[in-house]
Structures are given as C-alpha cells and as structure tokens.
C-alpha cells in the first residue's frame, strides 16, 4: 500500500491482551512480537498510515542522520538482506517506504486502527485491566497498555504574538503537508535552527527567492557527507551482520562509531588532536562527538571540540558577522543535540539567505505580511515553524492516563518524569513506555533502543504467562533509585548545563529534568538483562 494512501480503520475488539498506542517503528515491532507470543494485540494510530515520526516529518531535506544500514530493524535477517538502501543517510520518503514494506511483509495492518487517537487510558484495579477510549468513540479493555508513542511526536505549538494575523501559509516541520510545499519564488521565514531547520533550510533555499532564518540559539552541526550508499559498505555490513548488530547493541549510542576513543583530548598534542577532529569531520556524522573520551565530561576537552567546530563555521561562512552569529557561545559542544547537515553553513553564503539573530534583535510580533524584530520588518509569503517538540513526555501527557487510585500520569510526573528503567511507572501497573524517559532513547540510535525494549518486554510477557502472572508494577523504591541513578550520571556530564529539549527547556513551564538515560546503550542493556534474570528485580508481580 502506498504510504500516502489513507486507509479504513480496522474495527477494534472490546477486549485484547495488549493495546499498543502508535504505529511507528516501536509499535510495529511490538505488534509483530506479541503475535508471535500468541497474544491478541491491536495498535491505535492517530495518523492515516504507519511510520510514526517518518509519517509526520515530511519537511524538505528530512533524512536520518545515522547510516541507513544501521538505522534499520535487525530482528529479521531476511528483511535486512532483501531491503536495499539507496543513500548513506536515507531520506524520509525512502524510510517511509521501508516501514510500509515492513508493515506489508509482516501483515501488520490488519491489527492497526488508523485515524484513531487514544484519549484516555484508566486502570481498573478490580479487573487488573486498562480501559482505553479512542476519539472514534470505541472502548477497549486490555491487560497491557503499551505506549509506543515516540519521543518527538508532539510538536511544540507556535505561540508568537500576532501570529493569527499572518495572511500567508504557515507550516510546522513536524506536521508537514503530505502533498509537499512549492516555495518557488516565495519569500520564506524559518523560525528555529535545530535539526529540522538545519536539514530543511538548504532545501527551501533552492526554491525560495528569499529565506529569512530566525535564530534564537545557534546549533553545532557536522557535515553528513551524504551520497549514494557505498556498495562495499553494504556488503561488509551484511557479511559481518551478526557481529555488527551485537556491537551496536553493546555500544554507547547504538551505532558502530558511537563508542568514544579511549584517548583524552586534554592529553593529546595540538596537532594530533586537530588531525583526529579533521578525520572525524571528514568522515561525517556523529563520529566527531566520539573523537575523544572526555568531550562530554571535561569542560576543557569540550572547549577544544567547540573551538574546532567554530573554526569550521568561520572557514565555511564567508561573511564574518554571519559566521560569528552561527557559532554557539553559551553551551558546551554536543550538549544540545548535535545536528548533521548537508550544506547548512554553506547556504548562508548565498545572497538570498539571511540570518536574523533573535538574541540581538528579538522578535516583537508577527504581522499580516511578515515578522517584526527590533531590527525591522521582514515581509514574507510563508512561515516555517521549525521549533521542535514537547519531547519525551509530550505524547503521554496528552493522554488522560490514570493508574491505581485514579492517579494521573501528569500528576505523578508533575516534577518531571519518574520511571523504573524508562519502561514502567510506579502506580501504573501493566503500562509500558517504549523508549520512555529514563531510558537511552533519544541519546541513541532509536531502532536499536526500540528493539531492546520490545524484546525485553516480550521476554517479560513470556515469563508472566509461564508463571501465570497478570500484573506487574515497579516498586516505589526501585523507581526512586533509578531516577536518582539517571540524575546522578547525567550530572557527571556537561549535558545538563545546556538549555536543551533533553531537559524540557524548550517548553515554557516544563520541569527542568534531564530525561534520557545517559549511561550508554550497552550498559543499560546489561542492567535490564540483570533485572530480568534476577526474577524481575525491583518489580512486584502477581496473579490477576
Ligand atoms: O527541534 P529543536 P527540531 N522563538 O528543538 C527554536 C530530532 N530530529 O525539530 O535552541 C524562537 O532541536 C529553538 O531555539 P532554542 C532530533 O533529535 C532528528 O529541529 O530553544 N525560536 C531551536 O533552534 C532533534 O534534536 C532528525 O533557543 C524558537 C528550534 O526552534 C529533535 O528531533 C531530524 C522558539 C527547535 O529545535 C528536534 O529537532 C530532525 C521561539 N519561541 C529532528 N521556540 C534526524 O534524525 C523554539 N525555537 C535527522
């Protein structure tokens, strides 16, 4: 089935073993695994088709920034051998085709209710089941409620003064029109300079007559060096498939180049250090971040990486004033999510691309015809809001989730998300959060982390069936200890010093808590495995 085609919603039964929320990468794999366990399962998906983040984020230039062969499911060797990626970093349409292929190949659609949003999920203590209601008026009773809602699925809604007055079209990168947008000859404003903006601005600039980039905080970006996939890379990957997959699973961030070299930047001579950074820059992608072991923990080492990146920006961008505005100054390198670009800094050498620094000249209002800053008025035909997401907790807090004694998840998380292993929340039995806050998730190759959670959960449900257990919940103590651990290791790094969405800093009023687990994908996997092999240590399990 074509990715864009709307499809009828499959009717929901009154009862299932598991109700999965979301048909993105995690929901699809979860459904596949649950079926293999002989459990009945349905997915409710708000969108009209599968794909999750790759269904919604169709802005020009959207592509993965982990190499294609690494950003793919590993659970089926046949799938992996049959599917051919065309580019080193696959673009959104190709990834969406891949996910549609997976849905067809594993016959997933018959258990997915599309165009169906979950409004509320309440735990019925007497029945030990979740009562889940949809916006289509259906109610489903499920033993397990599995949130496969994604970490970056709820757009940060624009709320700029005067924005309702604007007469032209506006777009959010996270909700891009399926039919695409033709900016030919148009004057376009882009607000935001995160990954979505950094990928889309060079593409928008190819069509638009004028592009005005409104930057609040400059981001560090490294070149992707994208191109057709190297057949040798593909062959080597497949020839060593098992070993490579194992390396991913035990790595720092779920891809092969994510393990930092043991060497410290601060104990490396200037020439050698520069050479290492240059090699990584030439290689492209996130490998720069792993150039030395101390970059994310030692301010002195981090400053060396920051200085290297700043020099690169100054080399690429010809206008020194523009270059200086593009150089991040007030947070350590890599502590806001590093971006991977194709021609981002270069685009500012084009005469029709203009950078407006909102820190120097704040935005005052949007008008009928454009934007006004303290510098003056910018007349535009269209506005692109590339302002990000209510990350990690946004999708869950939009659903009225109530656990034992009517406790709402929003109340339980009023001071920031609390979980055990990022998988479950105390007071919310049989509710699972795939790649939830408190797990490596957004600090990793998402597919690797998704597969780990889904596999762990599948093993758990197998165990529960074998021992005739029906209810699982983390103890308050284990949750509290995990939250402390997540915070403690985050505080050993420089990450919490930046105002990033990792901390919820982009959403006014959101508690400032470092949400993902920064201890590494491999270390985290070992912890989860140890919990399971010790009889699900830290959880309470009981019969119905
Ligand atoms: O969002 P962002 P994104 N006025 O939050 C600015 C993943 N992703 O959609 O930094 C003015 O990073 C905001 O400024 P500031 C990836 O994990 C992956 O770009 O808050 N500006 C920032 O510049 C990524 O990190 C891929 O000061 C405002 C920008 O908007 C995550 O998604 C591709 C503002 C938002 O940047 C989010 O990326 C794309 C305001 N009121 C995304 N509010 C790939 O894998 C916000 N901003 C390739």
């Amino acid at each position: 089935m074509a990715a864009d085609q709307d499809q009828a919603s499959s009717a929901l039964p009154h009862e299932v073993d598991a109700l999965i929320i979301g048909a993105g990468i995690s929901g699809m794999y979860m459904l596949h695994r649950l079926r293999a366990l002989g459990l009945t399962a349905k997915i409710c998906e708000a969108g009209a088709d599968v794909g999750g983040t790759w269904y919604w984020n169709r802005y020009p230039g959207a592509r993965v920034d982990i190499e294609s062969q690494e950003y793919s499911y590993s659970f089926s060797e046949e799938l992996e051998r049959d599917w051919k990626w065309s580019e080193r970093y696959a673009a959104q349409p190709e990834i969406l085709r891949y996910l549609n292929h997976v849905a067809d190949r594993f016959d997933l659609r018959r258990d997915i209710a599309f165009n169906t949003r979950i409004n509320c999920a309440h735990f019925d203590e007497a029945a030990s089941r979740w009562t889940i209601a949809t916006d289509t008026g259906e109610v489903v009773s499920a033993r397990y409620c599995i949130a496969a809602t994604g970490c970056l699925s709820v757009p940060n809604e624009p709320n700029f003064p005067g924005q309702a007055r604007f007469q032209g079209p506006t777009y959010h990168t996270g909700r891009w029109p399926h039919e695409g947008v033709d900016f030919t000859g148009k004057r376009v404003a882009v607000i935001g300079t995160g990954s979505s903006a950094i990928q889309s601005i060079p593409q928008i600039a190819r069509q638009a007559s004028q592009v005005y980039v409104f930057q609040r905080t400059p981001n560090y970006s490294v070149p992707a060096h994208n191109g057709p996939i190297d057949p040798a890379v593909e062959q080597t990957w497949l020839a060593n498939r098992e070993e490579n997959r194992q390396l991913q699973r035990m790595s720092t961030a779920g891809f092969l180049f994510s393990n930092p070299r043991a060497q410290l930047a601060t104990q490396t001579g200037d020439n050698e250090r520069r050479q290492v950074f240059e090699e990584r820059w030439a290689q492209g992608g996130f490998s720069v971040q792993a150039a030395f072991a101390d970059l994310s923990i030692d301010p002195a080492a981090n400053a060396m990486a920051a200085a290297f990146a700043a020099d690169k920006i100054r080399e690429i961008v010809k206008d020194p004033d523009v270059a200086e505005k593009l150089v991040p100054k007030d947070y350590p390198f890599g502590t806001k999510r590093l971006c991977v670009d194709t021609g981002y800094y270069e685009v500012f050498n084009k005469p029709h691309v203009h950078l407006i620094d909102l820190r120097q000249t704040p935005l005052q209002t949007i008008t009928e015809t454009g934007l006004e800053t303290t510098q003056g008025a910018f007349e535009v035909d269209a506005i692109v809001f590339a302002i990000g997401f209510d990350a990690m907790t946004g999708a869950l807090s939009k659903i009225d989730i109530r656990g034992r004694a009517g406790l709402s998840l929003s109340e339980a998380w009023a001071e920031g998300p609390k979980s055990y292993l990022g998988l479950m929340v105390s007071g919310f039995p049989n509710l699972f959060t795939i790649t939830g806050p408190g797990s490596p998730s957004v600090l990793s190759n998402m597919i690797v982390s998704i597969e780990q959670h889904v596999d762990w959960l599948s093993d758990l449900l197998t165990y529960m069936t074998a021992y005739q257990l029906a209810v699982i919940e983390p103890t308050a103590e284990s949750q509290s200890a995990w939250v402390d651990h997540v915070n403690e290791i985050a505080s050993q790094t420089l990450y919490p010093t930046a105002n990033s969405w990792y901390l919820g800093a982009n959403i006014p009023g959101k508690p400032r808590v470092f949400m993902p687990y920064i201890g590494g994908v491999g270390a985290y996997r070992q912890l989860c495995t140890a919990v399971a092999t010790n009889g699900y240590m830290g959880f309470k399990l009981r019969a119905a």
Side-chain angles (χ1 to χ4, degrees), residues 54 57 59 63-65 152 156 160 173 191-197 199 214-217 219 336-337 340 358-359 363 386-389 442 499 501 506:
W54 299 106
N57 286 268
Y59 60 83
R63 66 176 69 252
V64 66
D65 46 18
L152 295 156
N156 178 16
F160 294 92
T173 45
I191 304 181
T193 48
S195 290
S196 303
Q199 288 190 326
F214 292 85
Q215 170 188 277
R216 186 164 70 182
T217 312
N219 255 294
K336 278 165 89 79
R337 208 273 206 170
V340 180
L358 293 179
R359 293 219 193 271
L363 183 65
I387 58 172
F389 301 89
V442 293
N499 288 322
W501 58 256
N506 61 330

Side-chain angles (χ1 to χ4, degrees), residues 343-404:
Y344 177 62
Y345 294 121
E346 290 82 351
V347 86
F348 291 97
N349 293 331
K350 294 189 186 296
H352 69 298
V353 179
H354 316 277
L355 182 67
I356 296 101
D357 182 341
L358 293 179
R359 293 219 193 271
Q360 283 177 6
T361 56
L363 183 65
Q364 296 199 304
T365 186
I366 293 179
T367 66
E368 286 76 5
T369 54
L371 294 88
E372 273 177 28
T373 69
T374 52
Q375 178 187 341
F378 300 87
E379 302 275 297
V380 295
D381 303 304
I383 302 176
V384 174
F385 296 110
I387 58 172
F389 301 89
D390 183 354
M392 305 211 69
T393 55
L396 291 167
S397 62
K398 267 188 170 297
I399 305 170
D400 174 19
I401 298 176
R402 288 175 192 271
R404 277 191 292 105

